[in-house]
Amino acid sequence: MDSPASSPDSGNLPRKVIAIAAGEAHTLALTGDGRVFSWGRGMFGRLGNGSESDELFPVRVNFGDSEQLKFVGVAAGAYHSLALADDGSVWCWGYNSYDSKTNHKAPIKICSVKAGGMMSLAIDNAGALWMWGNCPLPDSSTEGGFSLVSSFTPSPVWDFHGHTVVKVACGSEHVVALVSAGETYKGEDLVCYSWGANNNGQLGLGDRESRLRPKIIETFNQDSPWAVYEVTCGSFHTALLTHRKRPNDMLESMCWTFGLGENGQLGHGTTQSALVPEQVKELPQYVYLVSVDCGLFHTSVVSSAGDVWSWGMEKGLGLCPNASLTRNEAGDAISPILISGNGPHGPKFQDPVQVACGAAHTVLVTDDGYKLWSWGRGRSGVLGTGKTIDFFAPAIVLWPPLTEEFKQDELNTGGLDDEIKTKDLEGAEERDEKLSSAMEEMKLLQSKLSVMERYASILHGSIFGKPFAAEQDIPISLKDMGFFDITKEWENMLESADRSKLVRLERFYRNMLAGVKDKLMKRRIQEIVNECLHSSTIGK
């Protein structure tokens, strides 16, 4: 969900992705020349393109009259997005029950932004931490105990006054920060703090007591042999990457997780929650992990060698079919699974940069920023493949977008002569016209499909008492042979239904029949009344 931006090199910057961020069902990408792109679910305006329509391909975020701004960071909450400009201004858009929707430019300069759940975070050039949205602040205490407070403007976290906040991450209701032990940051003197909701042990403090103020996670205090260099939060769990403060000859890093574990998202080989940080021991030794991120109920890491491991909720990950040995009975991966690539480098991914996890999808930046992969649930186009289907193995994101600005960049940087450029431009224009027409038709079909899905979900829920799941609830005859034998499917459904389901069906149809009879009776009464009035009029 978070996205640390790296310094771009002098390559083809418009095409180079230097940071990504994933929300509940949308993805953001930051390019080396400072532009921001988004795709996926458009509800609440989280894509920042001026509409609430879903986007199946990456589209550029519209900053209005500020298009000349260069952006250096992005972050995504569940339903909102943030972008940090090089002048220190922070831009926010999307769901706004708790967050400020306009840009905030403080006298001090903001250097980093993060988001998660319904809260937003920022670190300024003095090392101070600011929070806004639905977040745990010291003044949010109530007589009933812990609660979050809605802050519509950024508020400083005064507990770190005199120290430097270096990195921060947040889940739905908790925050984890890496803070210098002294006044300034000296390299490996970071101490790990956490605060907020702690129902599942996501603070790593050894209990389930929520905190309104930051408290040190003792596993990573000033005297710890481990130096934390990356931190991320899922909704109810936390993951960190560490290396030894006194490294030996072997390149080695460790992934630690704690908090909710019921879907295997901790990778400990069990579904139990963990109240203190524990190592993910089934990851290989002597690898250097360059990036980690947490989704709603899953976690992913990528090594410098190009290996990617994921664990947690299977459907959210799109795990490969051969993962059966590490699944629990619910079909979740309780230990790390190696995710294989489909490219020329075999199972490894070339020159990985970053991994980001949404609620039920994962995005990976490889090839030093010039290629994007995604997998998991594909509804609303969140995978950026141009489709809304699920992918159970990494698929190529359609990057760079086939837009006029990228097409012109290609012609200007290829070293081609004018004649070849002209021919390529004409061919590109023709392809773009066809692509634009196809995309418009696809959006129309997607809109119709969305209406049909909502109708099917409402109807299915009223009859069966649960949401409609296309994978399980579409009749086999319709799925396999393209036609629907309603009599046979109805008999099969009744045969497989348990007693509670049959009772619900009986109640539903009894109420529906009663409603029909009542409506027929009312209409018959109205007809009789009309007949009487008509006879009375004639008699006069």
Side-chain angles (χ1 to χ4, degrees), residues 205-252:
L205 302 176
D207 55 40
R208 298 178 185 271
E209 181 184 347
S210 299
R211 267 76 167 187
L212 285 172
R213 294 185 176 279
K215 186 175 177 62
I216 294 176
I217 301 176
E218 292 300 329
T219 308
F220 307 113
N221 60 21
Q222 190 172 0
D223 299 323
S224 171
W226 299 97
V228 181
Y229 63 90
E230 198 64 66
V231 59
T232 182
C233 298
S235 287
F236 309 106
H237 74 292
T238 306
L240 305 100
L241 298 182
T242 67
H243 61 75
R244 292 190 180 276
K245 289 182 178 178
R246 295 181 179 178
N248 51 30
D249 295 335
M250 302 298 294
L251 187 64
E252 179 184 13

Side-chain angles (χ1 to χ4, degrees), residues 341-355:
N342 300 317
H345 305 284
K348 292 182 180 292
F349 295 89
Q350 183 76 3
D351 298 324
V353 176
Q354 184 192 347
V355 65

Side-chain angles (χ1 to χ4, degrees), residues 38 42 45-53 55 59-62 93:
S38 64
R46 71 189 86 176
L47 299 184
N49 62 346
S51 78
E52 294 192 51
S53 300
E55 293 291 347
V59 295
R60 189 174 178 183
V61 175
N62 180 12
W93 62 95

Side-chain angles (χ1 to χ4, degrees), residues 239-447:
L240 305 100
L241 298 182
T242 67
H243 61 75
R244 292 190 180 276
K245 289 182 178 178
R246 295 181 179 178
N248 51 30
D249 295 335
M250 302 298 294
L251 187 64
E252 179 184 13
S253 61
M254 291 285 184
C255 179
W256 305 68
T257 56
F258 46 96
L260 183 67
E262 65 180 19
N263 292 98
Q265 59 264 51
L266 301 185
H268 298 161
T270 177
T271 55
Q272 294 180 355
S273 297
L275 305 185
V276 295
E278 296 181 18
Q279 293 181 9
V280 182
K281 296 181 179 179
E282 293 193 35
L283 287 173
Q285 289 185 314
Y286 309 120
V287 297
Y288 190 78
L289 304 173
V290 297
S291 179
V292 62
D293 202 16
C294 299
L296 187 61
F297 300 118
H298 77 287
T299 308
S300 297
V301 295
V302 57
S303 73
S304 57
D307 291 313
V308 177
W309 293 273
S310 289
W311 56 92
M313 184 176 63
E314 181 187 12
K315 293 271 176 115
L317 290 168
L319 287 178
C320 302
N322 60 2
S324 57
L325 294 179
T326 52
R327 294 177 183 173
N328 63 4
E329 293 180 359
D332 301 325
I334 58 178
S335 296
I337 297 295
L338 183 64
I339 303 296
S340 295
N342 300 317
H345 305 284
K348 292 182 180 292
F349 295 89
Q350 183 76 3
D351 298 324
V353 176
Q354 184 192 347
V355 65
C357 299
H361 76 289
T362 305
V363 184
L364 178 68
V365 184
T366 66
D367 294 74
D368 199 29
Y370 292 101
K371 185 177 287 186
L372 302 179
W373 302 79
S374 63
W375 62 96
R377 290 203 182 109
R379 294 181 181 178
S380 304
V382 67
L383 300 183
T385 61
K387 302 177 181 179
T388 58
I389 61 174
D390 299 344
F391 279 87
F392 299 101
I396 291 289
V397 176
L398 295 175
W399 181 267
L402 295 175
T403 60
E404 185 67 31
E405 52 190 320
F406 275 94
K407 176 180 59 187
Q408 191 61 48
D409 288 338
E410 179 70 25
L411 295 175
N412 291 338
T413 58
L416 303 174
D417 57 42
D418 292 340
E419 182 179 352
I420 295 176
K421 286 183 179 182
T422 302
K423 289 181 179 179
D424 283 352
L425 184 59
E426 291 174 353
E429 288 176 347
E430 183 178 353
R431 287 195 302 271
D432 281 359
E433 288 179 3
K434 293 180 179 179
L435 179 62
S436 177
S437 177
M439 288 179 65
E440 288 300 321
E441 185 176 352
M442 188 180 297
K443 285 185 177 181
L444 178 61
L445 292 174
Q446 179 64 25
S447 177

